[in-house]
Every structure is written in C-alpha cells, then in structure tokens.
Amino acid sequence: MPTAPAPSSPSPDRLALLAELEKKILWLAAWTIHNANHLRDNAEGIKVGGHQASSASLATIMTALYLDVLRPQDRVAVKPHASPIFHAIQYLLGRQTREKLENFRAYKGAQSYPSRTKDIDGVDFSTGSVGLGVAQTLFSSLVQDYVRAKGWSGEHPEGRMIALVGDAEMDEGNIFEALLEGWKHGLRNTWWIVDYNRQSLDAVVREGLWQRFEAIFQNFGWDVVVLKYGVLLEAAFQEPGGERLRDWIDNCPNQLYSALCFQGGASWRKRLLDEIGDQGPVTKLVESRSDEELARLMTNLAGHDLPTLLDAFAKAGTHDRPTCFIAYTIKGFGLPLAGHKDNHAGLMNPTQMDAFRTAMNVRPGHEWENFEGLSEAPEKLQAFLDAVPFNKREKAAVSPHIDVPAVLPTPGVGGKELSTQAGFGQILNEISRDDSDFANRIVTTSPDVTVSTNLGPWVNRRGLFALESMADTFKSERIPSTFNWEFSPSGQHLELGIAEMNLFLMLSALGLSHSINGERLLPIGTLYDPFIYRGADALNYACYQDARFILVATPSGITLAPEGGAHQSIGTPLIGMAQDGLAAFEPAFVDELATILRFGFDYIQRNGDGDPDERTWLRDQTGGSIYLRLSTRPLEQPVRAIDEELSRAIVDGAYWLRKPGPNAEVVIAYTGAVAPEAIEATGLLAEDRRDIGLLAITSADRLNAGWTAAGRARERGLVHAQSHVERLFADLPHHCSLVTVLDGHPATLGWLGSVGGHRTRSLGVEHFGQTGTIADLYRHHGIDAQAIVRAALALAPERPVRYLREASGPGV
C-alpha cells in the first residue's frame, strides 16, 4: 500500500528553529527532574535520579520526530526514561501543564514513565515495563492493517507505529518473539529507533552489538539504517587525515569512548595525538580545533545531529517497510554527566545545575518560561510550534458502542454432559452464524492452541486473517479434515505462534483499537490456563494500558489430570483476583458462562465515571477486561431458565444453589469444576444437617472486590453500604461454618469467613499435580466429596455423618 510522500528536507531557517527548541527541551527536562528532587530533599530526604542522563540521549531524536516528522496519525512508544523529554515537548506544544511538571514523580504529577491512563499529554502507549512498549507498536501496526482490511478506517490515513528503544532494552526476549510474529504477518508501517548510547544500568554494552542487531532485523525483513556520524564528523572525514580519524573512532572501545566524552576536549586531544598523531595531516586536523571545538566534533554522533536524522527519517518515509534505525548517541549528551558509566542514576548537583543554567542563559525565576534563554524571537518560535504537524492531532472520537444481544445462544445444553470449554466453543459457533455488527467485530487469537481451546468451529465459519488470501491446501487436495484453514483479509482469527507474551501484546493492541484506530473490536484470546504465568508481565501491561479484551483460559486446575503438573494450574485464580483492570470469573455451568460472556462483551466497552454501584459497590461503569477460567471436565448441565435475578447474581459473583435454612450449621461454597463434588457432599450431609447451604461462586474476584469496597464506604460514613456477599450471608447464624473448595489455591475463597465472622475451612490445591484420573487427583489433594464432608464434620462435629468413609489415599 502506498504511503504519503516524505517531507522535503528542512530549510536552514527551520533547522535553526529546531536546534533552538531542542536546547529548550533539554533544559526543561533537566529542570523538571532537578525541581522534583529539590522538593524531595525537603520532604523526604531522598533523591530520585535516573532520568537526567537517560532522557538527554534522546533529546535530538525526539525533537526531530515531534517537531518535524510525526503526522497526527502516527503513534509513538517513548523509551521509559525519556519521559521528561516527552513531557517537555508536550509542554511547549501546549499539551502539558506547568503544575504537572512541577509535580513530576509526585502525587497527581507527570509520570516517571509515560502512561496512557495517568498522563494528560496524549501518551500513545504506556511504557516502563522494559521491552513491552516496543513490541506493542508492532502488534498495533498489525491491528491497524486488520482494521483497514475490513474497510472500517474510512478516510483516516495510515499511521506509523514508532518505538524509541534503549539499546539495553533490546536484551528483553519479548522483543525478539514479537519480531518473528511480525515477519509471519507481513508487518508494515513500523519504525524502531534504537538509542545506541552503549550504556546500560550497570555496564557498557559489548563491542559490535549493533552488527548483531543489524543482522537480526535484516533476517526478519526489516530495513536497517545505521546512523553513526553527524555532519561535523562527516565533513572532518573529508579533510586530510580524516580517514585515519574515522578508523580510530570505528575501532575505539565503547568504554573508552564513553570515558573520553565525560573527560572532554583536552583528553580527546591527548588520546588522539598519542595514538594517531603523525606530525602531518592527522595532527593538523586535531590541532586546528580548540578543546571545545574538538569535544563538539568528537561527540557529533548522528543521534545528536538534526540534519542527519531528518534526512534519514525523510527517506524512510517514502515506503511502508518496517525500519530499524540504529542511532549512535551519548548518554547524558549536553549535560555534565555525559558519558560517565554511573550516570544512569546520576543527578546534577546544585553547582552543576547552576553552571548548566548559565550555559542555557536561563535566569533564576524564569525556568518554566517557554522561550527563556533562546535567541530567536518568541513570536517566531510560537508560530513554528503552532504549525507542527503532530500538533494538529485531535482527540480521538469516541468509538460507538457495539450492541450485544440480550441473551447469548446455548441451544440444547440443559441435561447434557458438557465442559465449559466446549460450551464456549458452541456459543461462539452460534454467534458466528449471524452477520451482525456484533459478530463481525469479534476477533479471536490464540498462541497455537486454537483447536484445543475450542475455537475451531468459529474459525471454520469466520476464517483466518491475512493481508493476502491463502487457500487451505488440504481442502484443495480433497484431503478430509475437520477444519477449514483458509486465510483472507475477511478472516476474524489471528493465529499466533506459541509465545504467550505475543498473545497478551496482541490482545493489548486489539483492545486499544477503539483509541488508536477509532474502531472498536471485541477481542477474545485463548490459551492454556497454567501458561498465563508465561505472559503475566504482558498481561499486567495490557491491563495497565486499559486495553479491553476477553481472556479465555483452560483447563482449570488439575482437571487435565493425565497431562501431569506441567498442564495444571494452581495460583491463576489469585492472579485473577489481584490483577487490576481484569474481572475474573470461573463458571461451573455453560448457562452461567453464556450469562457472563454476554456481560463481558458489554463490560469491555464501558468507559464511564462516577461512584460505585451501591448494589455491588463495584465500579462496573468504568469497565475493564475479562478473564474466564474454564474447564475441560464435562459436567451434567442443569435444566433451568436464567431469569433476571439469577443472571444478575451470576454476574455479581455468587448465588445460592441450595439456600441455607434458618439453623444452618454448614455452608459449602464452591467455584468452577468441583461443582459435582460440592453437590455430592451437600447431599451426603443433608440428611443429618438439613439446613445446609450450597453457594455457587462464579467470581471470587468480584465478590471480594465488592466486599472490600463496601467496607471502605462504611469507613467513610456510609453505614448502610452492603455488598453482594454480605447480603448472601446476612441470614446465616453466627455458629454456621463455611467449607470452601475449588480446583485452585485455597486462598482464593479463604477470606469468605471474614465477611460474617464464620469459622471456615478452605480446601484447594497447593502443590504441583500428579498424573492420574480426576478422581485420583481430587482425592490426593483433598477436594473430593469425602474431603469436603470431613471438613464440614470437623467444623460442626455434633452429629456423625453416616456416609463418611474412612480416609484413605495418597493425599491423606
């Protein structure tokens, strides 16, 4: 697809204005950090360095991008430590406030790392979790292609997805996992700009690392542009003796180069004359410059040279191929900390800051003035900023809400044996029959487990997505197959390789399409439940960005018993409870699943404000993402109608499957696939404890969140605040005991006794699994019906239970 023509090279006048503004950006960034640390010296007695040097290395690159190259439709993931530069640029453009900068790294101030949800100045992608913001741009580009292939972009032009990457950040494995996925899907319109300053947090990077980067990117089909020397050095190389100087720099060890940058012009002179001085052209080249001029020459790397950068960006703008720029820079460029290996956490002391202020011509008390210290007329500078292409970006239009059917179909489920995983596949299959906007906006993705997570029927009907059509060879060769794997631009499933980090980054990109592309998608991702841990960092990152998606994980717990511990999950329910921005559910029955899915498709589209719902004390109006923990275990499905009251209780997190009587001694509370054991145990106990209750918990997460929120409300004076779980337990006598059980960590439900002060015994799985049948393993881990009965008897021992067998088995 063609892209817009690249802009012509800037005029000398425009370059002069950009250079002036670059100085101001560097000053504002340094002052922002210094000011923040000054306040902390007084209030807390600590300093928080780390950004002055790290951000300075990107000042020129970001000036070139934001004030010249970027178009309104382009999106950028800013290197985490460059946030002061980003905020300074937005301040000059009128998109950031002085108050926020004065409170940098403080409560409600500008964020240390760019944040979509906490910063006010239009952050495209949150960064700070190293490497994830980089890979996010790749997946966002793929999603842009998906949206455009559907014809939903209208007149909205294609944007570039750009990442500003630290060279040390390139150590993160998720970046290279993403590269492979980009190659598979024909990545376009993506720029990664590597800030090659050759310094990481603890060390100087190995020699020749740029060559490894170059080879890797080229192997994945990227253009690679190495930007090493600025115009001053390129001119010096044309002088007599210049080739000797180039050879010396090319072979200079990274540590030595960094040290000389810190030491300055006199050290450069001594080292050059000692090592390549010839009393001829090389010596003349060096001696013809003062110490200051020599230092300026030897630090004139391309990453700090506006003409070189703008020329490279303009050339890359003539095509849509993915491009990696390896831009040589100096960490701390322009500051007294430049080049020193300790500068990552360095902070200019007051004396250095005063000297820097003097060099920048900034008067005390005028530090925040936009054009203080600059030689160009303020009116000219302001007119320049007003005309910056990026500054024409308008706030994204609110993407329309996609209407969700009042009820999702579950034909013929009642009375059958069915797992929630299979039920999920059947529900999606029924949705796929419709040609509604709702069905068309669903997009699924999976890390090589499409079939084994029951997405096969959906893909058969809706197809796999690719920019170019590819036939299913098995079908064309008339080889019988259950699945029809045809790729086309009309497909609605994005097949991924087995890397779970890529799944969550893809879900993050799909779940931000309404903001990035102005077109809402309804993303569903499936994976094996235990492998959530593999991508937990990317899952957290997606939620931190407020991406919206439905995560379907299966099989729950140890239900895939013959597979052993490697495919069994223990702690994932706790992830569901603890992860902000993610509402976790674990239904036992398919009608519950359909009710939750229907809620979920609406919930991921919400973006409201206001106080919590006083019925549940949950902030449902703000929305979020959904996590469904499903099972491969077939259960007999109830024959019942889900009325409005039951539907609301399922979504709120729990309902009485058997309501306790007024003198209940025991309540069994279960969640998920252990429903048969809980039901059986209730039956065994019922003859001797007739008021026994059975609580079906569909979301421990929402029950707990509502309970803690209601408690906070009461502490603020709203004495009548009551959560859903508190209402459920309101009539339980104080002597009643609770037995909780799930195929997961017992702490998931262990807190229930605190709601009403009831004695509680929590059953669950705490250790890696064994192989065997479900019955074997449930007995081994003490979550079978007999174990539930024994726990109940221990809590309420007055009368024996006639059906209790003698304990046996390896778990006892």
Side-chain angles (χ1 to χ4, degrees):
M1 300 180 190
T3 57
S8 57
S9 298
S11 65
D13 186 51
R14 186 173 180 84
L15 277 173
L17 290 170
L18 284 167
E20 281 282 273
L21 290 167
E22 180 195 351
K23 287 171 52 180
K24 190 62 188 180
I25 290 164
L26 182 61
W27 162 260
L28 283 171
W31 177 250
T32 295
I33 301 167
H34 177 80
N35 182 67
N37 277 281
H38 173 71
L39 295 175
R40 280 161 180 71
D41 282 346
N42 293 334
E44 302 170 23
I46 59 171
K47 290 180 181 287
V48 284
H51 283 178
Q52 278 188 332
S54 298
S55 62
S57 65
L58 271 170
T60 316
I61 292 171
M62 291 177 67
T63 299
L65 284 174
Y66 280 96
L67 301 189
D68 189 90
V69 176
L70 293 181
R71 305 158 301 173
Q73 66 268 29
D74 295 332
R75 305 285 180 165
V76 185
V78 175
K79 173 184 164 182
H81 286 162
S83 86
I85 295 290
F86 172 78
H87 293 311
I89 291 171
Q90 305 308 311
Y91 179 68
L92 289 179
L93 292 174
R95 293 170 174 262
Q96 179 59 278
T97 67
R98 173 174 170 175
E99 180 185 11
K100 293 284 186 182
L101 290 186
E102 287 180 323
N103 284 290
F104 177 69
R105 303 183 84 164
Y107 185 64
K108 299 290 187 179
Q111 295 294 297
S112 308
Y113 305 120
S115 171
R116 282 180 50 83
T117 57
K118 294 181 173 60
D119 279 317
I120 65 169
D121 44 359
V123 174
D124 296 318
F125 304 106
S126 297
T127 52
S129 193
V130 176
L132 295 178
V134 182
Q136 175 82 23
T137 60
L138 182 151
F139 288 99
S140 191
S141 182
L142 297 181
V143 172
Q144 178 179 243
D145 283 345
Y146 180 90
V147 169
R148 296 187 72 81
K150 304 300 180 188
W152 294 333
S153 296
E155 299 299 318
H156 185 73
E158 287 184 336
R160 297 188 194 95
M161 304 298 165
I162 301 171
L164 302 171
V165 193
D167 49 5
E169 196 172 6
M170 292 293 291
D171 288 347
E172 289 290 348
N174 73 84
I175 290 177
F176 302 100
E177 292 178 358
L179 281 177
L180 181 58
E181 209 61 63
W183 171 75
K184 292 177 189 175
H185 287 273
L187 179 68
R188 306 164 54 248
N189 291 319
T190 304
W191 288 2
W192 287 0
I193 304 169
V194 179
D195 173 19
Y196 196 62
N197 61 48
R198 292 157 288 170
Q199 288 184 247
S200 63
L201 177 60
D202 293 331
V204 176
V205 304
R206 295 292 187 270
E207 307 300 326
L209 184 61
W210 69 272
Q211 294 169 309
R212 305 299 176 187
F213 291 160
E214 182 180 43
I216 290 170
F217 279 93
Q218 287 177 341
N219 284 339
F220 284 112
W222 289 54
D223 287 4
V224 178
V225 180
V226 179
L227 301 172
K228 188 168 186 179
Y229 298 121
V231 294
L232 292 179
L233 275 171
E234 290 289 0
F237 296 154
Q238 303 307 310
E239 297 179 24
E243 280 304 313
R244 291 280 305 280
L245 179 63
R246 181 197 289 270
D247 290 343
W248 185 89
I249 297 174
D250 284 342
N251 291 290
C252 181
N254 290 334
Q255 290 204 46
L256 175 58
Y257 199 91
S258 294
L260 291 169
C261 287
F262 176 74
Q263 291 174 314
S267 295
W268 280 115
R269 184 183 308 281
K270 184 177 187 306
R271 178 70 64 164
L272 290 170
L273 292 177
D274 285 349
E275 296 194 2
I276 58 172
D278 59 357
Q279 304 302 312
V282 177
T283 300
K284 182 179 179 182
L285 187 155
V286 173
E287 294 288 30
S288 65
R289 291 164 169 87
S290 66
D291 283 353
E292 182 180 349
E293 291 169 335
L294 187 59
R296 188 182 309 119
L297 173 68
M298 297 302 292
T299 57
N300 178 232
L301 301 181
H304 303 303
D305 191 77
L306 280 168
T308 302
L309 290 170
L310 293 172
D311 180 65
F313 293 150
K315 289 175 180 175
T318 61
H319 60 79
D320 64 2
R321 295 187 300 276
T323 303
C324 174
F325 300 90
I326 300 174
Y328 277 73
T329 62
I330 297 165
K331 195 169 183 178
F333 182 75
L335 305 178
L337 311 170
H340 197 289
K341 71 181 181 68
D342 297 340
N343 65 13
H344 181 88
L347 188 70
M348 284 190 281
N349 60 40
T351 301
Q352 290 173 319
M353 197 68 204
D354 285 343
F356 186 57
R357 180 203 306 274
T358 300
M360 290 292 187
N361 296 316
V362 174
R363 295 167 293 168
H366 297 261
E367 292 88 357
W368 297 108
E369 293 179 14
N370 282 22
F371 309 123
E372 171 71 10
L374 304 184
S375 58
E376 296 282 355
E379 298 81 8
K380 190 174 182 180
L381 291 165
Q382 188 60 57
F384 177 90
L385 291 172
D386 291 341
V388 164
F390 169 81
N391 214 22
K392 305 297 182 185
R393 180 194 286 189
E394 298 178 356
K395 189 175 181 179
V398 177
S399 183
H401 185 278
I402 307 300
D403 291 334
V404 181
V407 178
L408 295 186
T410 54
V413 166
K416 291 184 177 180
E417 279 204 349
L418 197 67
S419 71
T420 47
Q421 176 185 296
F424 163 72
Q426 289 190 15
I427 293 169
L428 273 192
N429 186 44
E430 292 302 314
I431 293 172
S432 71
R433 298 176 189 274
D434 294 333
D435 190 27
S436 62
D437 192 31
F438 166 66
N440 292 336
R441 293 286 174 154
I442 293 174
V443 54
T444 58
T445 186
S446 185
D448 203 37
V449 290
T450 298
V451 174
S452 52
T453 55
N454 280 67
L455 280 176
W458 163 266
V459 177
N460 277 348
R461 290 186 183 276
R462 290 288 171 160
L464 293 129
F465 175 78
L467 290 175
E468 297 181 0
S469 296
M470 291 180 284
D472 184 340
T473 302
F474 276 72
K475 182 179 178 181
S476 62
E477 293 293 326
R478 298 186 178 181
I479 300 173
S481 172
T482 308
F483 304 105
N484 177 20
W485 270 193
E486 289 187 341
F487 289 85
S488 75
S490 63
Q492 288 179 242
H493 178 77
L494 288 155
E495 183 63 14
L496 300 173
I498 205 166
E500 282 78 11
M501 293 290 281
N502 285 343
L503 169 72
F504 289 118
L505 288 168
M506 176 64 88
L507 285 174
S508 181
L510 291 166
L512 289 174
S513 179
H514 61 282
S515 175
I516 301 297
N517 302 304
E519 294 291 336
R520 185 175 296 280
L521 301 173
L522 303 176
I524 300 175
T526 66
L527 83 165
Y528 292 165
D529 191 61
F531 299 156
I532 284 177
Y533 290 107
R534 290 185 181 176
D537 191 16
L539 170 60
N540 179 67
Y541 172 68
C543 292
Y544 179 71
Q545 294 207 101
D546 198 25
R548 303 302 181 86
F549 51 86
I550 295 174
L551 174 66
V552 179
T554 181
S556 61
I558 57 176
T559 52
L560 200 63
E563 295 290 333
H567 284 74
Q568 297 171 6
S569 60
I570 298 171
T572 51
L574 299 176
I575 292 177
M577 292 182 70
Q579 180 60 60
D580 189 20
L582 190 71
F585 293 86
E586 187 170 350
F589 303 113
V590 175
D591 57 2
E592 296 171 351
L593 171 61
T595 301
I596 293 165
L597 260 178
R598 194 269 160 213
F599 165 78
F601 281 121
D602 181 67
Y603 183 76
I604 64 175
Q605 299 185 68
R606 298 179 186 178
N607 191 29
D609 294 315
D611 294 327
D613 179 353
E614 294 192 10
R615 184 179 56 80
T616 63
W617 293 95
L618 296 169
R619 301 185 68 88
D620 281 351
Q621 74 278 10
T622 65
S625 289
I626 297 285
Y627 163 33
L628 302 177
R629 190 175 189 248
L630 305 186
S631 174
T632 53
R633 185 188 187 191
L635 304 184
E636 184 179 344
Q637 299 298 306
V639 180
R640 60 182 175 180
I642 303 290
D643 59 21
E644 184 178 347
E645 181 180 357
L646 180 54
S647 174
R648 184 167 59 243
I650 289 170
V651 168
D652 289 346
Y655 64 94
W656 289 114
L657 200 59
R658 174 183 172 131
K659 192 168 184 179
N663 295 307
E665 295 178 355
V666 176
V667 163
I668 296 172
Y670 76 90
T671 191
V674 296
E677 284 68 30
I679 293 169
E680 181 185 352
T682 303
L684 295 175
L685 289 163
E687 291 192 24
D688 300 295
R689 289 161 175 76
R690 295 186 181 278
D691 283 352
I692 187 170
L694 180 60
L695 185 67
I697 296 177
T698 54
S699 176
D701 177 27
R702 285 170 62 79
L703 278 188
N704 181 267
W707 173 57
T708 56
R712 286 193 297 270
R714 289 192 293 271
E715 291 158 9
R716 294 196 302 268
L718 300 175
V719 295
H720 299 296
Q722 190 177 39
S723 66
H724 180 55
V725 69
E726 288 170 319
R727 284 193 297 274
L728 288 169
F729 286 178
D731 296 329
L732 290 182
H734 187 70
H735 67 267
C736 182
S737 298
L738 307 181
V739 177
T740 70
V741 60
L742 80 157
D743 190 345
H745 198 281
T748 308
L749 301 177
W751 56 274
L752 279 171
S754 299
V755 174
H758 297 104
R759 293 181 63 203
T760 302
R761 173 75 170 95
S762 296
L763 307 179
V765 180
E766 298 178 80
H767 305 290
F768 291 117
Q770 307 289 328
T771 55
T773 67
I774 290 178
D776 289 336
L777 299 194
Y778 276 19
R779 183 172 61 254
H780 174 84
H781 288 282
I783 57 174
D784 63 342
Q786 288 288 308
I788 297 171
V789 171
R790 282 193 293 273
L793 184 60
L795 291 172
E798 289 81 3
R799 294 187 301 278
V801 176
R802 67 190 74 183
Y803 300 109
L804 182 62
R805 295 193 298 270
E806 185 178 346
S808 63
V812 178

